[in-house]
Amino acid sequence: MSGEMFVWDQLKNRIARSDRQVDWFWALGFLLAAILLFSINLGPLPLRDWDEGIVGQVAREMTRSRLNWLYPQMVGNVPYFNKPPLVHWLIAFSYTMGGVNEWTTRLIPAMLTAFSVPVLYGVSRELFAQRIGAIFTTCVYLTLLPVVRHGRLAMLDGAVVCFFLLLLWCLLRSRRDLRYALGAGIALGLLSLTKGIFLGVLLGAIGLLFILWDTPRLLTSIYLWLGIGLGMLPVGLWYLAQGQHYGLLFINTNLKQESWRRIWEQVGGHQEGFWYYFLEILKYPWPWQFFWLQGLWLAWENRNFAWGKLVLLWTSIYLVAISLMSTKLPWYILPIYPAFSLAVGAYLAQVWCSREQDSDWVVEGEKNITPFSFPRYLWWFLALIAIVGWVGVIYFSGIIQTPQLMSPKEPDLQLLLAAVAMTMTIAAVLLYRRDRQFMIILFWGCYVSLLIFMTSDNWIWELAENYPVKPVAEIVKSSTPPHQVVLTSHPGTRPSLDFYSDRRVISVSPEEMKEVWMNNPSPYFLVDHPTLENSNFPNAKILKTTGGWNVVTKNR
């Protein structure tokens, strides 16, 4: 009998090792796919306003002074109070290794977001009994346009998602090994040192509420509280250092204006309605939002299991919290997308494993499921996207040349739309025939489409909303003294202009410009042609001009 038990234990250990090896293979494959998608064509386009320009400024100033690593500054020795500096530290290190350019600015945030892909796979494997649920969840997440686009930018939100997923993975692993709770606390510290203690408290509360509901014994673990203490120690020290150095100025700016004020008041004109983020989910994560509500309903039906609890808590708490905030920005919603992917992935996995007869495929012990079927509108939506894609291919081919309509020739957009149209056409046909292979087509087609999109110059479409920043920054930098403050007639501040010109460029009204011109012996203005003609600056000298913009000073 003992011999049989020994053989059985050996067999179980061998199966477990084989299972872990397969998981490592999938995680590595997802990581390589993510690195390719998040790194391709990362450097050619200039930095975007706002976040990229500010992040680049802060990181570059760190390379110029060791003191700036502890007390971050922007161009012009302006203290930076907005967010803690973890990502800025990493980008500054990237600058010291590869120089200051767009590629080194975006590399670290992009790689952190890429790393979140296999981490989400690990989270899903802890939640789902079958591997197919984890695979589908990760495929959905990897092919979400908002995640890929914002994750590639020099912003903090991709790092936030990565650290929060690391926190959840450690919490889930600690159900079997309490020592992993140490990692959860450290991840909470990294999160708070990335985007502030308010977001750390919000996301940390989601994790704590989850274990309170799912595994309350973890709350008594010394490893958990020790990890939180270790993780939050550098956060507390950094905030203490800022408070001692700047006093009430830091407290009022960082904690009150940049954090607390955003909850109750709109900041920077970014005020939207309560439904703003629901509309964002409907607009951008094509085509996976069609399956989101079914995934949420499946999570509700399986709320007795860990994955259902986490999806419901994560989605409801975070979505309601950011929707109640007065200041709303598109990238605030980024941390919801892993929960979105879990819901969609669970639903698609259930459909994939269904049969014409009732089946007992379980995510973690679900009820019998219904035969494979979808609401009819899903087929129509995919067909509609395919039709729009083919029309776009024809339009951007440039072959339509009539007095009423002149279509531009855009090969990049034509190739992208062709990939989207072909994907949706094949998927719609397979879905109409009730062939589950349509999911594979969607995964692969969306990945290829995103890859094509990221190789084009259109993936940062906001750059087309303003004048090209680099030529204008060049004339400002080459025609003004170092550290010179430049006033501009442009209606809004552009942090990317400050970054490239290495000057502080401040937007002022025409009346203020006239007053400065009269009272300042050596003013430097960046003005467009209409402003220069209408303002009639006495004794003006145009130093340099490009693209309708002029650097002007007094002719001494």
Side-chain angles (χ1 to χ4, degrees):
M1 190 67 178
S2 60
E4 292 179 358
M5 290 296 296
F6 176 77
V7 172
W8 177 244
D9 289 341
Q10 289 289 96
L11 180 60
K12 287 196 296 184
N13 291 335
R14 187 178 303 173
I15 293 173
R17 284 196 300 271
S18 176
D19 203 49
R20 287 195 296 270
Q21 290 173 355
V22 173
D23 281 334
W24 277 109
F25 171 80
W26 276 105
L28 179 60
F30 281 126
L31 177 61
L32 294 177
I35 289 175
L36 174 62
L37 185 57
F38 282 87
S39 63
I40 193 168
N41 196 37
L42 202 59
L45 294 181
L47 300 185
R48 189 188 78 168
D49 297 314
W50 269 66
D51 289 49
E52 283 202 303
I54 294 175
V55 168
Q57 288 182 55
V58 175
R60 186 177 59 190
E61 294 304 307
M62 288 177 176
T63 64
R64 294 173 172 174
S65 170
R66 292 182 180 179
L67 192 62
N68 290 342
W69 288 76
L70 182 58
Y71 306 112
Q73 291 187 347
M74 296 188 294
V75 169
N77 297 322
V78 178
Y80 175 71
F81 294 141
N82 196 347
K83 296 293 185 292
L86 177 58
V87 172
H88 308 82
W89 288 339
L90 296 175
I91 295 176
F93 177 74
S94 177
Y95 283 168
T96 62
M97 301 297 292
V100 179
N101 53 65
E102 292 85 358
W103 188 81
T104 52
T105 305
R106 294 180 177 131
L107 178 63
I108 297 298
M111 290 302 98
L112 285 172
T113 313
F115 184 69
S116 72
V117 174
V119 177
L120 178 60
Y121 177 78
V123 169
S124 305
R125 284 299 286 135
E126 295 295 323
L127 292 171
F128 298 145
Q130 293 194 9
R131 184 177 290 110
I132 191 68
I135 294 173
F136 280 7
T137 293
T138 314
C139 285
V140 170
Y141 179 71
L142 180 60
T143 53
L144 288 174
L145 174 61
V147 172
V148 177
R149 201 173 81 91
H150 285 111
R152 288 164 53 90
L153 296 172
M155 300 172 64
L156 311 181
D157 302 86
V160 166
V161 174
C162 178
F163 296 144
F164 184 51
L165 286 172
L166 189 61
L167 182 154
L168 292 176
W169 181 75
C170 290
L171 284 179
L172 291 167
R173 292 286 295 180
S174 67
R175 297 184 300 178
R176 289 179 289 169
D177 187 341
L178 290 175
R179 291 172 295 181
Y180 278 92
L182 279 170
I186 294 173
L188 178 63
L190 294 174
L191 219 167
S192 301
L193 204 53
T194 298
K195 212 167 183 182
I197 57 175
F198 282 96
L199 186 64
V201 168
L202 174 60
L203 297 180
I206 294 174
L208 287 177
L209 287 173
F210 167 70
I211 62 174
L212 178 63
W213 189 5
D214 181 70
T215 320
R217 63 180 175 83
L218 291 179
L219 293 176
T220 62
S221 170
I222 186 65
Y223 291 105
L224 175 64
W225 300 107
L226 179 60
I228 292 175
L230 291 174
M232 297 304 292
L233 178 61
V235 180
L237 291 175
W238 184 81
Y239 274 92
L240 181 62
Q242 306 310 302
Q244 288 182 338
H245 187 73
Y246 294 110
L248 290 177
L249 178 62
F250 172 78
I251 296 173
N252 289 331
T253 305
N254 178 274
L255 298 178
K256 185 178 178 181
Q257 295 183 21
E258 296 294 342
S259 298
W260 188 251
R261 184 181 162 211
R262 291 174 182 262
I263 300 174
W264 304 111
E265 301 177 28
Q266 64 88 16
V267 176
H270 303 290
Q271 186 173 19
E272 302 288 347
F274 179 82
W275 296 102
Y276 175 76
Y277 291 114
F278 295 92
L279 295 177
E280 287 289 301
I281 293 177
L282 292 177
K283 285 193 297 184
Y284 290 112
W286 294 83
W288 307 118
Q289 68 268 57
F290 298 142
F291 311 99
W292 183 47
L293 292 181
Q294 291 95 327
L296 289 179
W297 181 252
L298 182 64
W300 174 257
E301 288 183 330
N302 294 277
R303 59 190 178 276
N304 291 328
F305 300 100
W307 81 271
K309 296 173 184 176
L310 182 58
V311 167
L312 294 174
L313 278 174
W314 189 346
T315 303
S316 59
I317 294 176
Y318 188 79
L319 198 53
V320 169
I322 61 174
S323 297
L324 289 175
M325 291 176 59
S326 295
T327 301
K328 291 182 173 64
L329 292 166
W331 45 89
Y332 283 3
I333 199 176
L334 217 60
I336 204 71
Y337 283 120
F340 173 98
S341 303
L342 283 167
V344 174
Y347 176 70
L348 293 177
Q350 184 190 46
V351 173
W352 178 268
C353 294
S354 64
R355 297 293 183 267
E356 293 301 326
Q357 305 297 325
D358 280 353
S359 163
D360 21 48
W361 180 84
V362 289
V363 174
E364 207 174 315
E366 294 87 333
K367 304 173 184 177
N368 288 350
I369 59 176
T370 57
F372 165 52
S373 63
F374 279 100
R376 190 171 182 81
Y377 69 82
L378 291 177
W379 180 85
W380 286 107
F381 270 124
L382 293 182
L384 179 61
I385 298 172
I387 293 172
V388 172
W390 290 121
V391 171
V393 170
I394 297 173
Y395 177 75
F396 287 109
S397 66
I399 63 176
I400 303 177
Q401 301 294 331
T402 66
Q404 294 79 18
L405 181 63
M406 304 287 286
S407 66
K409 190 171 184 179
E410 295 280 354
D412 291 345
L413 291 177
Q414 191 180 12
L415 180 60
L416 169 64
L417 291 171
V420 171
M422 187 174 298
T423 298
M424 297 305 164
T425 300
I426 298 173
V429 171
L430 292 176
L431 182 58
Y432 181 80
R433 297 173 58 185
R434 297 182 63 180
D435 188 335
R436 284 177 289 268
Q437 298 293 329
F438 86 93
M439 303 179 204
I440 306 301
I441 296 299
L442 282 181
F443 290 140
W444 177 245
C446 289
Y447 180 82
V448 172
S449 299
L450 284 174
L451 203 60
I452 294 172
F453 185 46
M454 297 307 152
T455 58
S456 73
D457 291 337
N458 299 299
W459 69 274
I460 312 181
W461 56 71
E462 294 88 349
L463 295 177
E465 298 172 359
N466 217 324
Y467 62 82
V469 67
K470 295 183 78 171
V472 176
E474 179 58 33
I475 65 170
V476 171
K477 185 175 183 178
S478 60
S479 59
T480 61
H483 313 296
Q484 175 66 47
V485 175
V486 179
L487 304 183
T488 180
S489 61
H490 190 267
T493 301
R494 297 198 64 184
S496 62
L497 180 60
D498 292 10
F499 174 81
Y500 286 112
S501 67
D502 204 8
R503 308 289 189 272
R504 191 179 177 200
V505 184
I506 303 175
S507 175
V508 296
S509 66
E511 293 74 19
E512 291 174 306
M513 282 189 131
K514 291 179 181 178
E515 183 179 349
V516 172
W517 186 269
M518 298 301 297
N519 299 325
N520 191 329
S522 300
Y524 285 88
F525 291 170
L526 174 66
V527 294
D528 55 11
H529 287 331
T531 301
L532 182 60
E533 293 172 358
N534 297 331
S535 298
N536 190 26
F537 297 122
N539 202 28
K541 177 183 179 181
I542 299 177
L543 299 177
K544 285 192 177 181
T545 182
T546 184
W549 289 91
N550 310 274
V551 178
V552 180
T553 189
K554 284 185 177 180
N555 191 5
R556 296 181 295 273

